[in-house]
Amino acid sequence: METLAYRTCPLCEATCGLELQVTDGRVTRTRGDAEDVFSAGFLCPKGTTLGHFHEDPDRLRQPLAKIDGRHVPVSWEEAYGIIAERFTAHRDPDTDAAAIYLGNPVVHGLDLLLYGRAIITALGTRNVYSASTVDQRPRELASGLLYGLSVTIPVPDIDRTDALLLLGANPMVSNGSLATAPDWPGRIEALKERGGFFAVVDPARTRTAEAADVHLPIRPTTDVLLLAALATELVATGQHRPDPADAEVLDRVVGALAPFTPDTVAERTGIAASEIRALAQRLAEAERPCVYARIGTTVTPFGTTASWLVDVVNALLGSLDQPGGAMFPTSPAGSRNNRSDDPTGPAVRLGRRRTAVSGLPVELGEHPVSALAEEIEAGNITAMVTVAGNPVLSCPDGERLDEAFGALDFMVSLDCYLNETTRHADVILPPPSHLQKPHFDLAFTGLSVRNVANYSPAVLPLDDDQLPEWQIAARLSAVLGGLAGDAAGAAAVDDLMAEQIIGGVLSSPQAPEALTEAMVRSSVEGRTGPLRLLDLMVRSGPWGDWFGAGDPEGLSLERLEDHPHGIDLGALEPRFPAILSTPSGRPEFDHPDLVADLSRVAQLLEDRPPELELINRRTLRSNNSWMHNLRILVKGKPRCTLRMHPEDAAHRSLETGQRVRLSSATGSVEVALEVTDALRPGVVSMPHGWGHDRPGTQLQIAAEHAGANVNIVTPSASVDPLSGTSQLTGVPVDVVGV
Ligand SMILES: Nc1nc2c(c(=O)[nH]1)N[C@H]1C(S)=C(S)[C@@H](COP(=O)(O)OP(=O)(O)OC[C@H]3O[C@@H](n4cnc5c(=O)[nH]c(N)nc54)[C@H](O)[C@@H]3O)O[C@H]1N2
Ligand SMILES: Nc1nc2c(c(=O)[nH]1)N[C@H]1C(S)=C(S)[C@@H](COP(=O)(O)OP(=O)(O)OC[C@H]3O[C@@H](n4cnc5c(=O)[nH]c(N)nc54)[C@H](O)[C@@H]3O)O[C@H]1N2
Ligand code: SF4
Ligand SMILES: [Mo]
């Protein structure tokens, strides 16, 4: 039998709609869904691989337990039995020796986003780690300080801007991040077709830079200087036009930025003063300019401060919270900033807690991953849960972290593969494949360049003996919380979560007068698991039907089910001041912690750049560490190479194809060299997520294309001191032939 199914792709932040042809229980063709309200048929090479992933023989279908050093299949009952027996001792709140690491796919999955929290609560630990501190945490922290909530993140209104300045992002390859927009290539082309201007700041001439009118190959880690100089230049030339409500505060900020001018930053950034001035003028001349920065500006020692200055420049341009500028999406379900009365703000106060060994900052409730290995080594952490993460490949000082995991007393992983990290787990709990799960992008609808809602039911049924992922997580929470790790335990956890949401719905200031508890409860009767929670959230969201007490045309899960191609909720709209939860009721542009960091930025002006600096490179057919076991993505020439500028190669008598040793103060790896002028001299680049050569894994194809783990070279010792985020770019390195 042949059917067509529609499903949002969960692999990256672009949220493309897919059309899957299913024949006798197998996906036989995958295309972009031409009718998807947001992606209109766009997809990238990864989008066609969900069927391949589903059929990957190495994908785990049954729990594994490590017995006598080897992973063997066990039943769910046995798996939870082992966890109940062996984890309990580590759950002592006095010693707080249990930890959890949450990886990137948590944010891409409905089940994990909702029930991952339950695992943390059940663990009762403050030792929460995630991929955020090798990624976007500085941006979130800056948002927390400026606007009161870390989820209040501005996104570029790419479809309406007429001048886009993009720093440290390569959306033509990554498909965008903290800016959910399927088809970046098409949207950039549309910008140019309507006569818009596009500038890219990146040490590498990426595909995105190639599409730009202006490419400024900046020295790594120095965006903070460039942004500061853009701000002072706009004011010095009288080209600024901030919202009058913020003018005075911004004056103070620009006063503090006085040491940073196009002339003073030119040498250290590697960008001529004349080019900085021209860029400021070009942005100021535009009607709807917009500045957007991403991971190249966050995984540096100045990530939080740079993120702040992005917003300062947008505010000076009059672009913050304005159409065509940097705007704040409205999520149809569950974003904390939907409640303008949020009593938690300003929740963010820096420096309240620090890690035990190195005293790194613990912000937004998370410990920096840079501290994980040393905390395990010190005996402060003796047991771990990892959820959808591969920190051995994705976090700095990878070799040391690998060894630290090996020294844990007990480890549980919720993961689809036996990989570099989960090989250390005593128990692995495998989720169903993505096609066997329903989907709704709870996180990315809050970061989207249009307001949209799109729900997809599961495409394929569960196999016998498989559990839905939410239930795996709920059972794990039940066991860790001292309940039975069976269906009844999971149901108890699920009911508790539903009750919490129902409580929030009933107390919401947005709730219509007519709403009663009975209406809420009867509306979701018969639903359990994530769909009940999602229905509750959507119906009480900004577009919700409020369970019959609000707009009868409003959103509900049922209405979303009737729209397999999604529902477009319109262009972004200004949200100040309702979205702000700050003492002043306006953005805190002059937040003392941010202003104080400028003395450290001034020091950067004095520092000499390292002779050779390592940066990261994403490749189109990859997704962090975990899609390298799909032949369709890894075939062809090797992607895990070290790129180097011809001048640097000549200087070292190195040439393309040669094996080289890349080393830093932290570690060294061997990798094949690729000489190219697509990088500025003094900078080398390598992709992360490779190094599939560890014993005890089950990744046959990935092992044939092992590559090397760049994070053996990146240091855990260097972080952004405000957010604790690891420095993954601008790492001083040395390269020699082997
Ligand atoms: N194909 C593919 N897509 C992905 C992923 C993947 O692994 N592969 N990963 C996903 C994830 S988890 C994320 S977070 C997003 C990230 O999405 P993006 O933020 O777009 O990330 P990158 O593609 O790594 O682009 C970062 C750019 O910053 C540049 N850069 C490095 N250092 C500096 C610096 O100091 N200053 C400036 N200005 N630029 C610098 C790099 O050369 C690179 O081109 O991508 C997502 N999409
Ligand atoms: N040097 C350097 N390092 C980097 C980066 C960089 O630019 N440079 N980028 C950083 C960034 S942005 C990120 S986000 C991190 C990523 O860091 P991680 O999240 O730790 O790494 P991933 O490779 O995304 O690993 C995802 C894991 O989840 C599993 N998985 C996939 N889908 C599911 C699912 O639906 N359910 C469950 N339970 N498991 C699933 C996979 O098998 C894999 O083990 O890497 C970071 N590391
Ligand atoms: S761009 Fe992202 S969401 Fe779209 S098909 Fe590719 S991986 Fe999937
Ligand atoms: Mo990421």
Side-chain angles (χ1 to χ4, degrees), residues 53 101-106 109 112 131-132 134-136 294-295 299 387-396 414-417 419 421-422 429-434 437 469 616-618 623-627 686-689 710-711 714 728:
F53 174 72
Y101 173 92
L102 302 139
N104 168 273
V106 171
L112 290 180
S132 295
V134 275
D135 192 351
Q136 82 292 351
R294 219 5 219 120
I295 195 168
V299 289
V387 181
N390 194 1
V392 166
L393 295 193
S394 49
C395 296
L414 207 174
D415 205 288
C416 353
Y417 284 118
N419 64 18
T421 296
T422 61
L429 306 169
S433 89
H434 301 100
K437 299 190 256 191
E469 189 164 35
N616 196 73
R617 177 174 93 241
R618 279 183 162 71
N623 196 21
N624 300 326
S625 76
W626 67 273
M627 297 193 72
M686 192 170 150
H688 73 289
V710 71
N711 282 323
T714 56
L728 300 175

Side-chain angles (χ1 to χ4, degrees), residues 27-48:
V27 172
T28 41
R29 193 190 63 210
T30 306
R31 296 200 295 210
D33 173 11
E35 288 177 64
D36 185 280
V37 295
F38 200 14
S39 63
F42 177 81
L43 86 175
C44 84
K46 287 200 299 280
T48 60

Side-chain angles (χ1 to χ4, degrees), residues 170 172 192 198 200 204-213 215 678:
N170 185 13
M172 299 294 199
K192 295 174 80 174
F198 181 39
V200 170
R205 195 179 66 242
T206 59
R207 284 196 198 192
T208 307
E210 271 167 6
D213 299 299
H215 170 214

Side-chain angles (χ1 to χ4, degrees), residues 55-61 416-418 629 698-702:
E55 289 178 13
D56 182 352
D58 285 337
R59 184 174 62 78
L60 303 178
R61 287 153 173 87
C416 353
Y417 284 118
L418 176 49
N629 210 50
Q698 183 183 317
L699 294 164
Q700 201 194 327
I701 292 166

Side-chain angles (χ1 to χ4, degrees), residues 9-16 18 42-48 175:
C9 175
L11 296 174
C12 87
E13 297 180 39
T15 69
C16 303
L18 305 177
F42 177 81
L43 86 175
C44 84
K46 287 200 299 280
T48 60
N175 284 295

Side-chain angles (χ1 to χ4, degrees), residues 77 82 90 151 205 271 363 388 445 549 564 591 632:
E77 286 64 36
I82 298 169
H90 303 275
V151 295
R205 195 179 66 242
I271 302 178
E363 301 300 346
T445 45
H591 195 290
I632 188 172

